[in-house]
Amino acid sequence: RIMDQTTNYRLLPNMEDHECFGCGPANPSGLQMKFYTDEASVFSWVTVPPHLCGWSRLVHGGVLSTMLDEIMSRSVIYLLKRLGLTRRMEVEFLRPVFIGKELKVEGKVREVANDREVRAEGFVYDEEGRVCARSNGSFILFSTDRMRQMGVADSGILDWFDRMSGKI
């Protein structure tokens, strides 16, 4: 069913050996989110497995928050070709979200405040297209050189980003 959803979008590159809980293909316990774009937004389709539940069949709120943080971050990375770290994030939970159901997650860049900060928004939709959770966040922008200096990410990730964004 996911393939039916993604035919109008371009699959975005990801590091195959990345172990991030949200997007890492090499993390068997994570969400393994894949990202797609229509050049205005970034999307992911996720079916949350049972081991990430909260109450009974509900997706844990922290997992929904992770999905929203990932999609907003990827919106900054792919739409602006910049690296950003989450500064602030606000999440509103609007309706129950159940494990084992396919969810659509969407992220958009809302505003480039200045050359150091950007604001983004994220949405989680259920199978009927209803918004179940939404978020707003601000992200501080960094160059790959500054990220190296801070020791926030290893050189492999930063080199990959530079290649992906056309900087090298």
Side-chain angles (χ1 to χ4, degrees):
R1 181 166 172 183
I2 289 175
M3 290 313 296
D4 295 339
Q5 303 285 334
T6 61
T7 55
N8 296 324
Y9 303 98
R10 181 173 59 88
L11 177 64
L12 296 173
N14 198 2
M15 292 181 62
E16 293 305 313
D17 60 348
H18 195 50
E19 293 183 342
C20 171
F21 174 76
C23 67
N27 186 336
S29 299
L31 295 168
Q32 300 183 354
M33 293 173 74
K34 292 181 181 178
F35 301 98
Y36 301 82
T37 188
D38 63 0
E39 304 308 327
S41 295
V42 172
F43 301 90
S44 186
W45 284 264
V46 180
T47 302
V48 179
H51 74 274
L52 297 176
C53 73
W55 288 1
S56 300
R57 303 175 310 127
L58 294 178
V59 175
H60 192 283
V63 172
L64 290 170
S65 298
T66 297
M67 292 165 53
L68 290 163
D69 188 34
E70 283 288 331
I71 205 72
M72 290 189 299
S73 295
R74 289 299 172 122
S75 297
V76 170
I77 289 170
Y78 288 111
L79 298 175
L80 299 179
K81 304 292 188 257
R82 299 284 309 269
L83 289 172
L85 294 176
T86 309
R87 177 181 199 172
R88 178 191 53 80
M89 183 175 152
E90 181 179 336
V91 178
E92 185 176 9
F93 301 100
L94 303 169
R95 49 177 72 248
V97 179
F98 296 97
I99 57 170
K101 302 288 183 181
E102 186 177 81
L103 305 170
K104 178 180 178 181
V105 189
E106 178 182 12
K108 300 178 180 189
V109 173
R110 238 184 41 224
E111 174 189 8
V112 179
N114 53 52
D115 65 343
R116 292 253 317 133
E117 186 171 358
V118 63
R119 293 182 183 88
E121 61 187 345
F123 304 90
V124 175
Y125 303 95
D126 64 14
E127 289 179 320
E128 287 78 43
R130 299 175 296 193
V131 177
C132 297
R134 65 179 169 219
S135 62
N136 290 296
S138 65
F139 295 79
I140 301 299
L141 301 174
F142 294 93
S143 67
T144 51
D145 289 340
R146 182 66 181 127
M147 295 283 263
R148 277 186 183 86
Q149 290 171 352
M150 295 183 334
V152 178
D154 67 41
S155 288
I157 292 171
L158 298 172
D159 291 344
W160 174 86
F161 174 78
D162 281 343
R163 282 190 306 281
M164 183 277 306
S165 63
K167 293 185 177 158
I168 58 171

